[in-house]
Amino acid sequence: MVSGVETLLLEVLPVFIIAATVGIFVAKVWELPYTIALLLAGLAVSILGVVTDLVTIDIRLSHDIIFLVLLPPLLFEGAATTDLAQFRRHFGPIIALSTVGLLISIGILGVLGQYAFGYPLLVSLLFAATVLPTDPVSVLALFDELGVPDRLAVVVEGESLLNDGVGVVVFTALLALVADGATATDLLSITGLGTLTLEMVFVSLGGALVGYVSGYAVYSVMRNLDEHMTEVVLTLILVYGSFLIAEHYLHVSGVIATVVAGLLIGNRGADEAMSPQTKISIFTSLATMAFLVNTFIFVIIGVTKPVDQLVTYADLILLAIPLVLLVRALAVYPVTALTNRLSMSSISTEYQHVIVWGGLHGSIPIALVLGLRPDLYPSLPVGELRAMVFGVAAFSLIVQGLTMPTLLDGLGVVTRSEAEEVYELLLGRARAVDAALAAAERLHKNSEIPTPMYEAFTAEYEREKEQLRTAIQTLLGAYLEVGTRNS
């Protein structure tokens, strides 16, 4: 008799490997963002019927598995690769969109969903909190390829990073109400709203504090280390440790703790506590973890036969897609208009159009809805919710993601010229030279390289640094827009 673990290894693992391979191949050959390629691979698995029914394999994706295993690496990697300086510069619109904008969207979709889907208000709000957090991976890959200004990319990425945290906090609070058998009347009462608001503020601020403290502790240790493998292990411990401490021991937001820890390590830690080799090792490890998690999520979609569910619940999905787009627009335009009036890093109308259409819904919504199980939440229409979330995610990744270049061209947002490409190459090389000089100085200070070698190395790289500085200044003098276009 074949055990559950043996069945998992014999049936699911080969599918996982095949889907990942197909996804990578499609991404490379068709030049697609890998999340879109993985989605297509997952759909192919479902259509071909490689695995007929996930239930017979007895894999139970509990809420804890989703939160403890899948979410932390996705959130940490996204935070660690965010430019904190640019994030701070555009913090006004980012925080407004990710908090006020998201809450407005959830509220509107929750109310409309009562009539569109026939759900009770609490269930409709839960669906909204599940589906509305955005995923920047696919659209940012296109942004980088097409030369979208850094300012727009940072706003889109920053909003997604924070609204993931806020969305998960709202999702968790609403799910707890559903599990307790609460009603919309309980939620909408003054006491209910007040309690919910205070709880969200407490868990959010508490999570941010845990993330900062745990991130700073690891950063402090890494400053005194120069062993890249040990620092990789410390980072991986921080990825899950910050989440566990916050969520299970202090009962605050593990999601926000992970995001804050990632921002600290990915920026201050990378600048002050990591050697070039350590940076490469850590960021490669984080990217690999995020890729594996994304692959797992989309393969699980495939083996759960979503095509059958898409057909069964096509009417609900066709209602959900335009509603999600509508409520995003109803939040983005008024919120950005308000931040513009307050002079919080003005966002142009063209940028607002891109932010609305670029709000892709991918890994986070799918991970959240996969954690809903009929046996744990019998009052929820889990099958319908999964199909609707997947349908919205599929539409946003495939249709919105693949039409983004056309939208950018039509709006005239793609602005990278040949001069800007040269400028970025020169700037990247200058940063690499600075990193090499810093590493050489550290090695010499620790007596790991002899003085003559250090002096020769330093002299050579100082000459290149001066040549790069001259070239950059010449380019900026000839093309004034290069230095200001992405500011």
Side-chain angles (χ1 to χ4, degrees), residues 94-164:
I94 288 173
I95 192 68
L97 286 169
S98 59
T99 56
V100 177
L102 180 64
L103 293 175
I104 289 173
S105 299
I106 291 173
I108 295 175
L109 184 56
V111 172
L112 294 179
Q114 293 181 98
Y115 307 101
F117 312 127
Y119 294 154
L121 178 60
L122 205 56
V123 175
S124 187
L125 287 170
L126 181 66
F127 167 70
T130 306
V131 77
L132 287 173
T134 55
D135 176 11
V137 175
S138 302
V139 72
L140 288 181
L142 287 171
F143 280 7
D144 184 62
E145 177 184 338
L146 297 170
V148 169
D150 290 345
R151 179 184 176 190
L152 174 57
V154 166
V155 171
V156 172
E157 183 177 19
E159 182 212 354
S160 174
L161 189 64
L162 292 187
N163 77 18
D164 285 345

Side-chain angles (χ1 to χ4, degrees), residues 221-240:
V221 174
M222 292 172 68
R223 285 190 65 182
N224 299 314
L225 285 177
D226 192 17
E227 172 53 53
H228 68 280
M229 289 306 298
T230 303
E231 292 176 78
V232 169
V233 173
L234 282 173
T235 303
L236 297 182
I237 292 172
L238 179 63
V239 170
Y240 289 101

Side-chain angles (χ1 to χ4, degrees), residues 82-91 94 154 263 267 271:
T82 297
D83 185 336
L84 190 56
Q86 289 275 18
F87 183 88
R88 287 171 176 166
R89 184 180 302 176
H90 306 297
F91 184 72
I94 288 173
V154 166
L263 283 170
N267 288 272
D271 292 339

Side-chain angles (χ1 to χ4, degrees), residues 63-328:
H63 180 269
D64 285 343
I65 290 176
I66 295 296
F67 272 66
L68 296 180
V69 179
L70 300 183
L71 286 186
L74 288 177
L75 296 165
F76 193 96
E77 194 267 345
T81 53
T82 297
D83 185 336
L84 190 56
Q86 289 275 18
F87 183 88
R88 287 171 176 166
R89 184 180 302 176
H90 306 297
F91 184 72
I94 288 173
I95 192 68
L97 286 169
S98 59
T99 56
V100 177
L102 180 64
L103 293 175
I104 289 173
S105 299
I106 291 173
I108 295 175
L109 184 56
V111 172
L112 294 179
Q114 293 181 98
Y115 307 101
F117 312 127
Y119 294 154
L121 178 60
L122 205 56
V123 175
S124 187
L125 287 170
L126 181 66
F127 167 70
T130 306
V131 77
L132 287 173
T134 55
D135 176 11
V137 175
S138 302
V139 72
L140 288 181
L142 287 171
F143 280 7
D144 184 62
E145 177 184 338
L146 297 170
V148 169
D150 290 345
R151 179 184 176 190
L152 174 57
V154 166
V155 171
V156 172
E157 183 177 19
E159 182 212 354
S160 174
L161 189 64
L162 292 187
N163 77 18
D164 285 345
V166 175
V168 172
V169 168
V170 177
F171 170 86
T172 304
L174 291 173
L175 188 61
L177 290 174
V178 170
D180 292 340
T183 64
T185 303
D186 299 326
L187 174 65
L188 295 177
S189 67
I190 295 178
T191 303
L193 284 175
T195 301
L196 183 62
T197 302
L198 288 175
E199 180 182 351
M200 289 172 55
V201 171
F202 172 76
V203 299
S204 298
L205 294 179
L209 180 61
V210 171
Y212 181 81
V213 171
S214 58
Y216 190 83
V218 171
Y219 156 80
S220 300
V221 174
M222 292 172 68
R223 285 190 65 182
N224 299 314
L225 285 177
D226 192 17
E227 172 53 53
H228 68 280
M229 289 306 298
T230 303
E231 292 176 78
V232 169
V233 173
L234 282 173
T235 303
L236 297 182
I237 292 172
L238 179 63
V239 170
Y240 289 101
S242 58
F243 190 97
L244 281 170
I245 292 171
E247 195 77 25
H248 286 268
Y249 292 99
L250 300 178
H251 305 292
V252 293
S253 175
V255 172
I256 293 178
T258 305
V259 168
V260 172
L263 283 170
L264 194 153
I265 290 298
N267 288 272
R268 187 173 180 181
D271 292 339
E272 302 175 9
M274 298 182 194
S275 66
Q277 185 178 11
T278 300
K279 288 182 185 179
I280 292 171
S281 299
I282 286 177
F283 284 98
T284 300
S285 299
L286 292 174
T288 302
M289 289 177 65
F291 175 80
L292 290 174
V293 169
N294 272 311
T295 303
F296 177 78
I297 288 172
F298 287 112
V299 170
I300 289 300
I301 292 170
V303 299
T304 51
K305 296 178 65 176
V307 171
D308 293 351
Q309 295 179 9
L310 291 177
V311 173
T312 302
Y313 302 115
D315 54 338
L316 293 175
I317 294 170
L318 292 175
L319 284 172
I321 290 172
L323 281 178
V324 168
L325 286 170
L326 173 64
V327 299
R328 178 157 179 81

